Amino acid sequence: MTCKIEVEFSRESKEALDEISQKKDMANALSVFIGMSAMIDIFAGNGVIGSSYKISTTDFELLAKSMRSSNPILIRQVEDISARMYLKSSISNQEKVFWRCLYNEM
């Protein structure tokens, strides 16, 4: 199911969509930061032997899990924003349909 609803968003809904966009950008940046910090830890100033040791002792499975950890957090935040917006009495019924659909998609 996808949320294909024609709706003109109010100022409040537009602000909520901007908030979701910012949170998505921050989650992506967090994933990149985690990966880059691991690479810096492995290669920065360690030389060949030190880097080889760091590569052999780095738990890349755990690193991948930590890089993906921002996604469930983002999903929960989008659910919270969607629920909050659905409960607002100041938005139109079409907006409520959109926010309910978005919440259910998460």
Side-chain angles (χ1 to χ4, degrees):
M1 180 178 157
T2 59
C3 298
K4 293 183 181 179
I5 300 166
E6 288 193 33
V7 60
E8 187 168 330
F9 291 112
S10 64
R11 179 189 52 79
E12 290 175 302
S13 288
K14 288 177 183 178
E15 288 172 359
L17 290 169
D18 286 341
E19 183 181 355
I20 289 171
S21 178
Q22 289 172 355
K23 290 187 182 299
K24 179 183 161 278
D25 292 344
M26 289 183 348
N28 290 339
L30 176 60
S31 294
V32 169
F33 178 75
I34 291 170
M36 290 302 297
S37 63
M39 294 302 118
I40 289 170
D41 180 52
I42 291 171
F43 296 109
N46 289 328
V48 174
I49 295 172
S51 293
S52 297
Y53 175 76
K54 286 279 193 174
I55 289 171
S56 67
T57 60
T58 299
D59 186 348
F60 286 99
E61 186 175 329
L62 182 61
L63 176 61
K65 284 181 184 177
S66 65
M67 290 175 71
R68 286 190 302 266
S69 68
S70 63
N71 194 34
I73 296 168
L74 175 63
I75 289 171
R76 177 56 196 251
Q77 290 176 335
V78 172
E79 285 176 343
D80 291 346
I81 293 168
S82 300
R84 181 185 77 216
M85 291 305 297
Y86 178 77
L87 294 174
K88 284 195 176 279
S89 61
S90 59
I91 65 173
S92 70
N93 286 334
Q94 284 296 85
E95 287 176 290
K96 285 184 181 284
V97 170
F98 171 81
W99 290 112
R100 183 180 60 218
C101 183
L102 183 60
Y103 180 85
N104 290 333
E105 285 292 310
M106 301 316 290

